[in-house]
Structure formats: C-alpha cells, structure tokens
Amino acid sequence: MTTAPTGPEPTTTTAAEPHPDKARPSGERRLLAGLMSNSIALYAIYGAVPAVLLANLVADVDPDSKSTSLGIISAVGAFGAMLANPIAGALSDRTHGRFGRRAPWMAGGALLGGLSLIALGAGNSLLWIGVAWALTQIFLNGLQAPLTAVIPDRTPEDRRGVFSSAAGLAQMLGAVAGTAVAAGFADALGLGFAVFGVLVIVGTAIFLLLNREPAAAPQAEPFRWKTFLAGFWVSPRRHPDFAWAFLGRFLLVLGYYCVSSYQLYILDDYLGLGRDRANDLVPLLSVAMLPGMIAMIVVSGPWSDRAGRRKPFVVGSSVGMAVSLALPLLLRSEASMFAYSIVCGCAFGMYMAVDTALMTQVLPRPDDAAKDMGVLNIANALPQALAPAVAAAVIAALGGYSALFVSGIVLVLLGALSILPIRTVR
C-alpha cells in the first residue's frame, strides 16, 4: 500500500458533497450486516479484556498492587489508542492501490491486534502485559478508524441514521456479549485472549471479502510530513460545524461518565446503602438501562432518516439525560436511581443511534473522512479518561454528590446547546 499527503485545508465545508466512490450500493444489506458483525467482534474485545481478562491477568501477576498496576496499564493503553485512531485514519485517507484505502489498514490492524491479544495472554510480567496491551490498543484502533469511515465513504446521507443505529447497537451488544463470554475464561486466561484475538481477525476477513472496496487512485501531491501533521488541526474558524460537533460530543460524554463512573460510591455514600447493597445494585441498574437503550438505538436512527433531521434527536437525548440526572438529585432513594437508569438508558440510546450520522455530515473533506472521524473520536475517548478525575474534583471542591449531579446536568445541557449552531445539518 502507498500513502500520499494531506492537501491544504479547504475554506468551505463540503460534507454534503457525494464521495466519488459513493453510491447507493446494491449490497447495502450485506454492508450493514458486515459492519455490525465486524463492530461486534471489535467491541467484544473492548468489553471482555479491560474488565475481565486483563483485570484477572494483572491480579495473577501482581496481587498486592493489582488496582494501581491495572490503572497504569489501562491509562497507557488508552493514551496509545487515542493517538492511534486519528493517525491510522489519516494514513488510510492517503492510501491508494487496488485494494482500496480502508481495507489494507483494516486487515493489518485486525491481524496485528489479534496477534497482540494472543501474546498478551502469555504475559508473566507487568512490563510484558503493559506493552502487549498498548500494542493491542494501537493496532485495534488501526482497524477501528477505517471501519468507522465506512459509513461516510459508502452510504448516502439519507441512510446514515440506519447505519448509525447499527453501529450503536453493535457497540453495546459487543461490549455486553464480550464481558459475558470472557467470564467463562476466568480460569483459562490464555485461551480467552486467543479466542478474542482469532474472533477479530476472522470477523474482519469476512467483512473485507464480502464487501470489496473499490481501488483508490493515487493523489498527485508528494508526501510531506509537515503537511500531514498539520492536517490533524481542523480550524474552528474555517469549519465551525466540525468544532461545534466536537464540543457537543465532548461535553455530553463528560457529563454522562462523571456520574456513571461514580455510581458505586453514589449508592454507598450519597444514598447511604452500604457497600454490600451498593455492589448488589450496580448490575441491576445496568440491566434496567438496557431495554430502553436498545429500543431507542433501533428506532431513532431510521426515524432521523425519515425526518431528514439529526439535531433534534441529539438535543433531545441531551435534555433526556439532564432529566435523568435530576431524579436522584431531587429524591435520594433506590427508586430514583432505577428511574435514572431507565430514562438515561433511553436518552443515551437515542444519542448513540444518531450521533455518528450527525458527525459524518460535518466532516470538512470527504477524502479525509477517517482522519476527521478519528479526531472526533477524541471527543469520546478523552472525557471518559478525564471523568473520574473531574468527578473527584467536583465532589471535593463543590460539596459532595449533589454538586456532581448538578455538574452533570450543566455539562449535558451545554452539550445540547453546542449542537444548535451547526448549520449544515438540520
């Protein structure tokens, strides 16, 4: 495969222009099914490894300091993933050849990520585990970035709600299924890592074989590192819709995870239930979220296609999330936490279904879709990493968990307001 440079940034937004390779495909259902299955395989790893397989492996190697060691290893892996996603996307944007722009990176990312997972399962030291997990994260994001670009590359705008819903559903199903399956390998960790490594390799291979990508013609300009690196900066002045979308996603995700990451402590300290009861309730609250989340993921994307609108759904989901956060603030009880979970599940499901579709319509250049989607993914990954620290600061500085709920409400509503100035999407 060969890469070519990023060209100079245009002065106008061209997100509505059709990509040269894009048409309403005769194999749309095959593309949709392949995208879902490949995404489920990828997100199964994200669900299985950090919470189950990696946690158990670290506990076996370093039982006395397992919490600290897992935190450091996870942070290093998350940092690598956050950098790898936009870089891999940008390189795929510049790739040309008879296999297309995305396929070589997807194949390479899946193969190397799968092999890194298998190597991770053989880890017998913290250094081995840390390096192997960082490489796994980097390579899997080399798969994820071009996989995400399949939607803006190969689907028309009036069908992106359907594909966005499918991506959101696959993300949730993969994470849940991965966690459940991984629990069965708690006593055979090496085999568990190998199973998920093979799964992502096979899943990606099937997707690529059934959904052949058109050959990509080379670009005229020679590769220049300065131009390539400068392409990661998207000017808010020249592309305000992209900047507003980034800010809206960042604020909403930060508001959501600031509260959800402290759920155990909220039940224990804020409601005064005690640690044992709090531990019993956490999985029940997660289950309470699922029905509404699944229903809204399935319904909202196609509904936004029919309506020809994205912004009302994203704004509505933000307002719904604010309402859910107000319930335990106004009434301290187990019932209010279950009400929070149900309402928040519906709101977050609507957001997951439509957010990706909206993001694909504010991209500055169709030819830079994977890079720009990778940059937007920072607005999803970074607040998740920052949320525990922000929540701790709010609780310490502003007077406890009531302040945390208020801060969450303010953040998600600011996220909604950030979507309103976007002009190229209704």
Side-chain angles (χ1 to χ4, degrees):
M1 86 189 149
T2 310
T3 58
T6 302
E9 196 173 38
T11 57
T12 59
T13 298
T14 59
E17 297 175 7
H19 189 278
D21 294 335
K22 189 185 303 172
R24 188 180 295 271
S26 59
E28 186 178 281
R29 291 182 181 177
R30 186 172 65 245
L31 182 64
L32 184 64
L35 181 66
M36 279 199 70
S37 59
N38 203 173
S39 297
I40 287 173
L42 178 62
Y43 282 98
I45 294 172
Y46 294 155
V49 175
V52 182
L53 299 180
L54 184 62
N56 277 287
L57 185 61
V58 171
D60 288 345
V61 173
D62 186 20
D64 295 332
S65 304
K66 58 185 179 183
S67 179
T68 301
S69 297
L70 180 62
I72 294 172
I73 290 170
S74 299
V76 171
F79 181 74
M82 191 167 62
L83 292 179
N85 198 292
I87 291 173
L91 291 171
S92 76
D93 288 334
R94 300 294 144 240
T95 298
H96 63 83
R98 64 191 184 96
F99 296 110
R101 297 188 298 167
R102 314 302 181 194
W105 293 93
M106 291 176 64
L111 178 60
L112 295 175
L115 293 176
S116 297
L117 267 180
I118 296 170
L120 177 57
N124 55 9
S125 71
L126 291 179
L127 179 60
W128 179 291
I129 295 169
V131 171
W133 178 235
L135 290 175
T136 299
Q137 287 273 61
I138 290 169
F139 291 135
L140 289 182
N141 274 269
L143 160 64
Q144 184 179 344
L147 179 64
T148 303
V150 167
I151 295 178
D153 276 356
R154 302 172 69 175
T155 65
E157 286 188 1
D158 63 355
R159 294 286 291 166
R160 288 187 188 168
V162 170
F163 280 83
S164 182
S165 279
L169 186 61
Q171 179 178 340
M172 189 194 68
L173 292 177
V176 172
T179 303
V181 172
F185 292 101
D187 296 324
L189 296 177
L191 179 59
F193 282 108
V195 166
F196 284 99
V198 172
L199 176 66
V200 74
I201 293 171
V202 173
T204 303
I206 292 173
F207 173 82
L208 294 175
L209 290 173
L210 295 181
N211 296 279
R212 300 290 182 112
E213 186 181 5
Q219 297 189 5
E221 300 176 15
F223 182 85
R224 295 186 179 89
W225 276 107
K226 183 177 180 181
T227 306
F228 175 76
L229 295 174
F232 289 100
W233 170 250
V234 180
S235 169
R237 181 179 61 82
R238 299 167 71 182
H239 303 288
D241 286 355
F242 185 90
W244 285 119
F246 183 100
L247 180 62
R249 174 183 275 187
F250 182 94
L251 292 171
L252 184 139
V253 173
L254 181 61
Y256 172 78
Y257 280 100
C258 273
V259 174
S260 66
S261 64
Y262 269 69
Q263 194 171 82
L264 178 67
Y265 296 163
I266 288 170
L267 295 170
D268 184 8
D269 300 330
Y270 179 68
L271 297 188
L273 299 179
R275 181 64 56 85
D276 291 340
R277 179 59 178 165
N279 277 308
D280 291 339
L281 276 182
V282 167
L284 296 178
L285 292 173
S286 297
V287 171
M289 272 191 166
L290 289 179
M293 186 179 291
I294 293 172
M296 294 308 294
I297 288 174
V298 171
V299 170
S300 299
W303 187 6
S304 74
D305 284 340
R306 290 193 296 271
R309 294 175 178 270
R310 313 292 186 199
K311 289 163 62 175
F313 292 87
V314 176
V315 172
S317 67
S318 304
V319 173
M321 211 169 295
V323 170
S324 75
L325 293 170
L327 296 174
L329 175 65
L330 299 174
L331 179 64
R332 297 190 186 191
S333 69
E334 291 185 22
S336 70
M337 286 302 296
F338 276 99
Y340 151 78
S341 294
I342 293 169
V343 176
C344 189
C346 293
F348 202 66
M350 178 183 289
Y351 178 77
M352 291 173 68
V354 182
D355 173 64
T356 299
L358 184 145
M359 296 298 164
T360 65
Q361 292 179 236
V362 299
L363 302 180
R365 283 168 45 100
D367 287 340
D368 288 335
K371 181 264 292 181
D372 291 333
M373 290 294 286
V375 172
L376 287 171
N377 190 59
I378 295 174
N380 184 48
L382 183 58
Q384 291 185 51
L386 294 176
V390 172
V394 168
I395 292 167
L398 299 180
Y401 293 96
S402 294
L404 182 63
F405 283 112
V406 172
S407 299
I409 291 169
V410 170
L411 286 168
V412 297
L413 290 179
L414 287 175
L417 292 175
S418 300
I419 298 299
L420 297 179
I422 294 175
R423 295 182 177 181
T424 54
V425 182
R426 296 172 61 196

